[in-house]
Amino acid sequence: MLPIEYYTGLSVILFTLGALGVLIRRNALIIFMSIELMLNSANLAFVSFARSYEGMSGQIFVFFVIAVAAAEVAVGLALIVAIFHTKRNIDVDQINSMKG
Amino acid sequence: MIPDLILFFGLALVAVASAIGLLLSRSAVYAALNLILNFTAIAVFYLVLDAPFLALMQVTVYAGAIMVLFLFVIMLLGAEKLSTGPTLPYQRPLSILLAVILLLEAAYALFFRSSPGAPPAPALAGFGSPQAIGETLFSAYLLPFEVVSILLLAAMVGAIVLTKKPRRRG
Amino acid sequence: MFFQETVSQAPQFFGLVPWIVFFPVIGLLFNIAFGGMILKRSPAGEKIVGWVASIASGLTFVVSVLLLVSLLGHPEGMVVPLAEWIKIGSFSANWSFQVDTLSVVMMLVVSIVGTLIHIYSIGYMHEDVRHNGDPGRYGRFFVFMNLFIVSMMILVSADNYLMLFVGWEGVGLCSYLLIGFWYDKGEDGIGNAVAGKKAMITTRIGDVGMLLALFAMFWAFGSLDFNTIFAKAPQVAAASPVIILLITLFMLVAVTGKSAQIPLYVWLPDAMAGPTPVSALIHAATMVTAGVYLVARSADLYILEPQAQFMVTLVGSATALFAATIAVGQFDIKKVLAYSTVSQLGFMVAAVGMGAFVAGMFHLVTHAFFKGLLFLSAGSVIQGVERGAHHIEHDPKLKKQSKSLGPDFDPQDMRNMGGLRSRMKVTFWVYLIGAISLSGLPPLAGFWSKDEILAEANKLYIWAYVLLAIAAIFTAFYMTRQVLMVFFGKPRSAAAEHAQESPPVMTIPLMILAGLTVLGGLINLPEFHTLEHWMEHTLGQAIHKAEFVMLVAALSTVLALLAIVAGWWFYNPRRYEAFWAEPAAKRPDDPLRRLIGPLFELWKNKYWIDELYWAAILNPYIALSRFLADVVDWRFWHDWFHDQALFGGFNRLTGLLAGRIDLGIIDGIANGLGTLAQRVAAVLRSVQTGFVRNYALSIFLGVVIILGYLLLR
């Protein structure tokens, strides 16, 4: 069993990569996937801390995160479909009608 | 110890590589596949970390259900390829700069702010088992669990409403 | 006095006294409500309306007689309260009727003369409304007449000066209404209205004096009740005689206005514009004597102040002579009588001024009879002449024969009369009785009363005696002149030739008044002094024991006879006809002018007093009014003060507030805030790029910064 810092380090790296995905990619679907990656890195941190402190709460949180992620994906993908229906595009840089 | 390290770094390599693949993939389909690989690697980490129930949930819900949904949408829209050309020229360098800073901060926190930890003691029997999760979930977290069920229902209704074509009158 | 034992058990009717006011009120309300309808519907409408008013007036006479009977038993009289009127703190003025010997004398005179004149008016107004072409005003006349009776009764029966003042103003109002009764007639179609206005305004000047007297009395006595004031008067006079002097002199101003004394008499001759019964009732018999009544009523005040008495005597005797001379120069039958009235009022005022209150009141009573008689007879003469003129107009044969009368024919001008003696017999005889009484020949009423005044004057103020005696000579002279011009000789116009006697409804009141004129002297014959004893109960200590001075009486009789002889010499029919026969271009308007031309001119033009008033008072006043209206009010107040100073200043101020303060500062702040928000928003808005990745970058930056902060903390 490795020290817990290994897992949290990996979690940081995955989180940063996910964030980079959100910031750099223009495809709404890939941005969405990057968000899922970030969620997973957080889940990894939760699980590793749960193991470290030997408490069940961390794992329960992950359970909820997965459930919420499922709901989020359902709604998020529906939104993307709806945007595509009106814009015929899922390039987030083409969607700037909220410009002030 | 050594086999643990080999396992960890092997899996970490797979996870990071698949994340980078997600980041760099041209096609959304490839991105989705990379993500599935990544999720699977993380599921193995869960097993290592004494969370077998979560590991199985990761595979079935994430890698299974959610990613299938993604692929489904990608196929539906048929727009996996996007027009290129920089629209926000400063976005990419700034993002990379911030990412590096974040990594440096995390490294600082990991290496200088926490004492180098010993490996945790072996877990008690039944830790992370479906039974333990179930007991915790249906005792201390009963209300959030029920709320989540409502959340899923709402999400389902919302998804249907959002994707439904507006009914034309007359 | 000598009645007292026999009738001390006489029944009391004092409680009836309010009915002297209520009866005429009922009469006038009836005529207001139904008069117009009755006149329209019924052929005898005029009779009904006239008799209702006459009966209302006659009932006041009945009540007055009952009061007289009651007073015989209880000569001290009483105060009959009717209603509370004003009560402020300790001050109170009520509707209360003072029944005493003085007020009942006035009530009797007013009601008997008033009633007779009401009855006479039934006939007179019948023709007058037709002559003036508006029969619809018949009812209005009687309403006004009843209203006059109401006001006069309030005046004479008041138990306080405020109620008296109500009546005082009420009779003034009736006078105004009745002078201007034919308000659309007269010179330029407004002559009568102007005469009414003149009477109103002139007497109003006097009424200011009355008001000032009221204020002074309230200030000095704290009350306006007769009894309170007269009881306190000696004390107040002892403490500060000036206030009594002020009150009495202010009252004198009121008297000169209402009783037509110098200098405010000018309205009375013009008041002849009213119908002749009005002249008889209001401007000869009753209203104008209100001033005399006021002085007699205030006797307790006047006897305290010899200076005021002197002034009153002076005003009265001067007016008596002054007006008597003017009367000589008049040609209008009513103007002669008007100036005669002014003159006789001067006699009365002089009498009450001298302190001879009984003599003044005695003359008031007899004058009411004979001057009422003379005016009514004059009205009969005028209508007789009008009837003659009418007769000619409607008889084509006569119209051809006689020269046309023309539109300028004046039925009141004595030069157009003559020879009416045989044509209007009754009128002639009653007129003669009135004239002799006025001239002061015994044994008619005028002789006794005038002689009593002269006797008092002889005793008290010899200069007043001289003035009054000369006035009496003039009186006899102008009455002779009038009678000769009107009734004797041959008619000098076709209208006079065809003049007709008036109907009985007019002549019967004349005859009754003639009887009163003959017998009026009985009420205060020398030796008996009935009126004097009667008045003693009211006037008390103020009374003078009148004496009959044979020498004075004989002298005045002789003087009057001499004046009549002189009158006969100038105006006897033969001589006057010879004068009249001369070519019109050569002869002057009056034989007297041959002897005393300038003086006659002076009298004919009334000493140019009206012109003097115009020049000295009215024109400057009008000029002042114009100045005030045009320059002060319009140009200064309106143009300058309001338009420029106020309005312009306000405009400038608001301009400043609106332009500088509001637009500059207030709006500047508000707009500045708006602009600031706009600029800040414009800067901040550029942050909102609309690119979701930019927002994500911002969040990521925030995460990095917060994490850095947490680590480096």
Side-chain angles (χ1 to χ4, degrees), chain C residues 95-116:
Chain C
W95 294 106
S96 303
F97 294 88
Q98 172 119 9
V99 186
D100 59 21
T101 49
L102 178 63
S103 64
V104 169
V105 166
M106 288 300 290
M107 286 178 209
L108 281 168
V109 170
V110 171
S111 58
I112 190 166
V113 177
T115 307
L116 289 171

Side-chain angles (χ1 to χ4, degrees), chain C residues 227-515:
Chain C
N227 295 332
T228 318
I229 288 176
F230 300 153
K232 277 193 198 167
Q235 295 162 243
V236 173
S240 58
V242 181
I243 187 73
I244 304 285
L245 181 65
L246 274 178
I247 291 168
T248 47
L249 287 182
F250 282 141
M251 269 194 215
L252 174 61
V253 175
V255 170
T256 59
K258 192 63 90 185
S259 287
Q261 299 296 294
I262 290 172
L264 297 179
Y265 70 92
V266 288
W267 66 271
L268 184 56
D270 288 38
M272 295 303 126
T276 307
V278 173
S279 309
L281 178 62
I282 300 183
H283 303 123
T286 53
M287 183 192 86
V288 288
T289 62
V292 180
Y293 171 77
L294 179 67
V295 178
R297 177 54 83 189
S298 311
D300 286 328
L301 295 177
Y302 276 94
I303 56 170
L304 294 170
E305 202 50 67
Q307 283 162 291
Q309 286 191 301
F310 173 83
M311 281 304 297
V312 177
T313 312
L314 179 64
V315 167
S317 45
T319 308
L321 178 58
F322 185 76
T325 57
I326 295 175
V328 173
Q330 299 304 308
F331 292 106
D332 186 310
I333 186 169
K334 283 178 73 179
K335 284 278 166 71
V336 173
L337 294 176
Y339 281 103
S340 167
T341 305
V342 175
S343 169
Q344 296 300 308
L345 288 167
F347 272 85
M348 296 174 219
V349 171
V352 291
M354 285 183 282
F357 300 106
V358 175
M361 289 303 293
F362 183 26
H363 197 55
L364 188 157
V365 174
T366 57
H367 176 260
F369 294 152
F370 64 69
K371 190 54 66 65
L373 171 64
L374 283 171
F375 263 114
L376 294 186
S377 311
S380 174
V381 167
I382 293 162
Q383 285 207 336
V385 176
E386 276 173 2
R387 271 191 289 274
H390 188 75
H391 187 64
I392 295 165
E393 293 296 316
H394 290 263
D395 192 331
K397 216 190 282 173
L398 281 172
K399 201 172 180 182
K400 254 181 229 166
Q401 283 174 3
S402 49
K403 288 167 272 176
S404 177
L405 294 170
D408 292 336
F409 176 73
D410 183 0
Q412 301 194 10
D413 193 329
M414 296 191 292
R415 285 168 295 188
N416 291 333
M417 299 178 186
L420 294 178
R421 180 173 50 143
S422 53
R423 289 167 181 81
M424 304 178 77
K425 287 201 179 68
V426 178
T427 305
F428 166 67
W429 283 110
V430 296
Y431 204 97
L432 193 63
I433 291 168
I436 292 171
S437 179
L438 176 56
S439 304
L441 290 185
L444 298 181
F447 167 75
W448 302 109
S449 55
K450 187 189 284 184
D451 189 69
E452 197 171 320
I453 293 171
L454 288 172
E456 295 270 0
N458 185 36
K459 197 169 67 181
L460 295 166
Y461 299 97
I462 193 70
W463 53 267
Y465 172 75
V466 173
L467 288 176
L468 294 176
I470 298 171
I473 296 168
F474 275 100
T475 307
F477 181 80
Y478 66 69
M479 284 318 291
T480 313
R481 171 178 178 262
Q482 190 181 38
V483 170
L484 289 172
M485 280 176 83
V486 172
F487 291 102
F488 286 83
K490 285 179 190 157
R492 288 182 294 277
S493 72
E497 195 170 342
H498 295 278
Q500 289 164 359
E501 182 58 283
S502 300
V505 73
M506 289 165 71
T507 53
I508 288 170
L510 290 179
M511 287 187 266
I512 296 171
L513 274 174

Side-chain angles (χ1 to χ4, degrees), chain C residues 40-347:
Chain C
K40 233 178 264 173
R41 299 262 173 91
S42 166
E46 289 191 351
K47 290 218 169 69
I48 296 170
V49 168
W51 278 107
V52 164
S54 304
I55 289 166
S57 175
L59 286 170
T60 64
F61 176 65
V62 173
V63 173
S64 303
V65 169
L66 290 174
L67 293 173
L68 175 76
V69 170
S70 311
L71 274 180
L72 290 174
H74 301 271
E76 71 283 355
M78 73 183 289
V79 173
V80 181
L82 178 66
E84 197 175 77
W85 179 20
I86 297 172
K87 191 159 176 59
I88 305 164
S90 61
F91 174 78
S92 71
N94 298 323
W95 294 106
S96 303
F97 294 88
Q98 172 119 9
V99 186
D100 59 21
T101 49
L102 178 63
S103 64
V104 169
V105 166
M106 288 300 290
M107 286 178 209
L108 281 168
V109 170
V110 171
S111 58
I112 190 166
V113 177
T115 307
L116 289 171
I117 292 174
H118 270 79
I119 296 168
Y120 172 92
S121 302
I122 296 170
Y124 183 89
M125 292 312 289
H126 173 78
E127 290 199 13
D128 201 40
V129 292
R130 275 156 191 78
H131 181 72
N132 283 295
D134 187 1
R137 286 191 212 175
Y138 190 88
R140 186 190 302 179
F141 179 83
F142 284 95
V143 169
F144 288 166
M145 289 292 269
N146 270 350
L147 183 62
F148 172 77
I149 298 286
V150 170
S151 307
M152 194 70 200
M153 285 302 181
I154 290 173
L155 197 165
V156 300
S157 64
D159 92 316
N160 59 65
Y161 278 102
L162 202 59
M163 184 173 159
L164 182 145
F165 189 65
V166 171
W168 186 273
E169 293 297 322
V171 293
L173 169 70
C174 296
S175 168
Y176 167 77
L177 292 173
L178 285 162
I179 292 168
F181 187 72
W182 298 111
Y183 52 82
D184 44 0
K185 299 278 159 51
E187 203 178 325
D188 299 333
I190 56 164
N192 292 358
V194 169
K197 206 168 74 180
K198 185 176 177 182
M200 193 71 173
I201 292 169
T202 312
T203 51
R204 197 64 52 244
I205 296 167
D207 293 342
V208 173
M210 185 72 177
L211 273 176
L212 290 173
L214 291 185
F215 297 153
M217 275 188 278
F218 176 68
W219 184 72
F221 299 101
S223 168
L224 292 174
D225 287 347
F226 292 149
N227 295 332
T228 318
I229 288 176
F230 300 153
K232 277 193 198 167
Q235 295 162 243
V236 173
S240 58
V242 181
I243 187 73
I244 304 285
L245 181 65
L246 274 178
I247 291 168
T248 47
L249 287 182
F250 282 141
M251 269 194 215
L252 174 61
V253 175
V255 170
T256 59
K258 192 63 90 185
S259 287
Q261 299 296 294
I262 290 172
L264 297 179
Y265 70 92
V266 288
W267 66 271
L268 184 56
D270 288 38
M272 295 303 126
T276 307
V278 173
S279 309
L281 178 62
I282 300 183
H283 303 123
T286 53
M287 183 192 86
V288 288
T289 62
V292 180
Y293 171 77
L294 179 67
V295 178
R297 177 54 83 189
S298 311
D300 286 328
L301 295 177
Y302 276 94
I303 56 170
L304 294 170
E305 202 50 67
Q307 283 162 291
Q309 286 191 301
F310 173 83
M311 281 304 297
V312 177
T313 312
L314 179 64
V315 167
S317 45
T319 308
L321 178 58
F322 185 76
T325 57
I326 295 175
V328 173
Q330 299 304 308
F331 292 106
D332 186 310
I333 186 169
K334 283 178 73 179
K335 284 278 166 71
V336 173
L337 294 176
Y339 281 103
S340 167
T341 305
V342 175
S343 169
Q344 296 300 308
L345 288 167
F347 272 85

Side-chain angles (χ1 to χ4, degrees), chain A residues 64, chain B residues 137-138 141-153:
Chain A
F64 283 128
Chain B
L137 202 56
F138 292 111
Y141 294 95
L142 182 58
L143 186 65
F145 178 79
E146 295 297 338
V147 171
V148 163
S149 68
I150 294 172
L151 180 74
L152 287 169
L153 177 65

Side-chain angles (χ1 to χ4, degrees), chain B residues 16-46:
Chain B
V16 172
S18 63
I20 292 173
L22 165 70
L23 194 61
L24 300 177
S25 64
R26 286 286 171 114
S27 162
V29 179
Y30 290 147
L33 292 175
N34 274 317
L35 192 57
I36 291 168
L37 186 58
N38 180 275
F39 284 170
T40 314
I42 287 171
V44 177
F45 277 122
Y46 289 171

